[in-house]
mmCIF file of all heavy atoms in Angstrom:
data_model
loop_
_atom_site.group_PDB
_atom_site.id
_atom_site.type_symbol
_atom_site.label_atom_id
_atom_site.label_comp_id
_atom_site.label_asym_id
_atom_site.label_seq_id
_atom_site.Cartn_x
_atom_site.Cartn_y
_atom_site.Cartn_z
ATOM 1 N N LYS A 55 -1.324 -1.915 -9.276
ATOM 2 C CA LYS A 55 -1.709 -1.131 -10.448
ATOM 3 C C LYS A 55 -3.024 -1.630 -11.041
ATOM 4 O O LYS A 55 -3.856 -0.834 -11.487
ATOM 5 C CB LYS A 55 -0.601 -1.170 -11.497
ATOM 6 C CG LYS A 55 0.641 -0.371 -11.108
ATOM 7 C CD LYS A 55 1.675 -0.366 -12.219
ATOM 8 C CE LYS A 55 2.835 0.554 -11.895
ATOM 9 N NZ LYS A 55 3.852 0.580 -12.980
ATOM 10 N N LYS A 134 14.659 17.098 5.212
ATOM 11 C CA LYS A 134 14.943 18.322 5.959
ATOM 12 C C LYS A 134 14.441 19.543 5.187
ATOM 13 O O LYS A 134 14.669 19.674 3.992
ATOM 14 C CB LYS A 134 16.440 18.449 6.233
ATOM 15 C CG LYS A 134 16.922 17.553 7.357
ATOM 16 C CD LYS A 134 18.399 17.789 7.657
ATOM 17 C CE LYS A 134 18.878 16.885 8.791
ATOM 18 N NZ LYS A 134 20.305 17.102 9.119
ATOM 19 N N ILE A 152 14.503 -11.761 25.074
ATOM 20 C CA ILE A 152 13.977 -13.109 25.296
ATOM 21 C C ILE A 152 14.995 -14.156 24.857
ATOM 22 O O ILE A 152 15.824 -13.894 23.981
ATOM 23 C CB ILE A 152 12.630 -13.326 24.570
ATOM 24 C CG1 ILE A 152 12.796 -13.171 23.050
ATOM 25 C CG2 ILE A 152 11.575 -12.381 25.098
ATOM 26 C CD1 ILE A 152 11.529 -13.501 22.283
ATOM 27 N N ASP A 257 12.122 -11.662 34.008
ATOM 28 C CA ASP A 257 13.198 -12.650 33.814
ATOM 29 C C ASP A 257 12.707 -14.050 34.170
ATOM 30 O O ASP A 257 12.966 -15.022 33.443
ATOM 31 C CB ASP A 257 14.405 -12.304 34.690
ATOM 32 C CG ASP A 257 15.186 -11.111 34.169
ATOM 33 O OD1 ASP A 257 14.896 -10.637 33.058
ATOM 34 O OD2 ASP A 257 16.099 -10.646 34.897
ATOM 35 N N SER A 265 11.078 -19.941 26.122
ATOM 36 C CA SER A 265 11.703 -20.823 25.128
ATOM 37 C C SER A 265 10.726 -21.886 24.636
ATOM 38 O O SER A 265 10.684 -22.213 23.441
ATOM 39 C CB SER A 265 12.952 -21.496 25.702
ATOM 40 O OG SER A 265 13.968 -20.547 25.954
ATOM 41 N N ARG A 332 3.669 -9.922 45.027
ATOM 42 C CA ARG A 332 3.183 -11.271 45.352
ATOM 43 C C ARG A 332 4.289 -12.280 45.213
ATOM 44 O O ARG A 332 4.463 -13.171 46.029
ATOM 45 C CB ARG A 332 2.015 -11.619 44.443
ATOM 46 C CG ARG A 332 1.407 -12.991 44.753
ATOM 47 C CD ARG A 332 0.227 -13.283 43.839
ATOM 48 N NE ARG A 332 -0.846 -12.322 44.068
ATOM 49 C CZ ARG A 332 -1.986 -12.325 43.397
ATOM 50 N NH1 ARG A 332 -2.196 -13.213 42.446
ATOM 51 N NH2 ARG A 332 -2.913 -11.405 43.681
#
Side-chain angles (χ1 to χ4, degrees):
K55 289 184 174 180
K134 283 184 180 181
I152 61 175
D257 286 352
S265 293
R332 182 179 297 179

